[in-house]
Amino acid sequence: QVQLVESGGGLVQAGGSLRLACASSGTIEGINVMNWYCQPPAKPRELVASITNGGSTNYADAVKGRFTITRDNAKNTVYLQMNSLKLEDTYLYLCSAGGTWNGHQNYYWGQGTQVTVSS
């Protein structure tokens, strides 16, 4: 089992910045990728950014150049630095951990943290 706890969301004006954090605990040795997703209302979750154990990153086109995903292995924490925020970035943001445990691939999810961008 892996537990994920997100933090750092809130209300920010357009053009502002936020830094989200996702702290992981439990059997984290099986994790090989950490992801941030956003949850549009009544739609499937969308991948925002991901980072592998090797440090390779991937971003959705909508956030390239504005968001940065990083990880602090000593703290078992992944961050999403969100700059130049836009109204359309308003979502619930969820952290997920993907990996292999006992020979099976699995994903774990946090509860999410709300980001609201105002004009």
Side-chain angles (χ1 to χ4, degrees):
Q1 287 280 352
V2 172
Q3 294 78 43
L4 303 173
V5 178
E6 301 98 331
S7 62
L11 176 64
V12 63
Q13 285 192 321
S17 298
L18 282 175
R19 188 176 79 157
L20 308 184
C22 173
S24 57
S25 60
T27 53
I28 61 173
E29 295 79 17
I31 296 174
N32 55 46
V33 63
M34 295 291 296
N35 310 294
W36 283 100
Y37 280 78
C38 65
Q39 178 72 71
K43 291 185 179 180
R45 293 171 181 173
E46 299 177 356
L47 181 65
V48 175
S50 62
I51 185 166
T52 67
N53 283 354
S56 296
T57 58
N58 184 50
Y59 297 94
D61 288 343
V63 306
K64 284 180 180 176
R66 300 189 298 123
F67 292 8
T68 304
I69 187 170
T70 58
R71 62 192 302 159
D72 184 334
N73 292 329
K75 296 182 178 179
N76 297 324
T77 299
V78 173
Y79 302 97
L80 185 68
Q81 179 67 42
M82 311 168 76
N83 297 331
S84 302
L85 282 161
K86 304 176 180 180
L87 297 178
E88 54 264 39
D89 294 322
T90 295
Y91 293 119
L92 180 70
Y93 285 80
L94 303 106
C95 175
S96 78
T100 303
W101 290 268
N102 298 320
H104 298 284
Q105 192 167 12
N106 205 353
Y107 285 90
Y108 293 93
W109 294 88
Q111 293 298 309
T113 184
Q114 178 67 37
V115 171
T116 302
V117 184
S118 65
S119 58

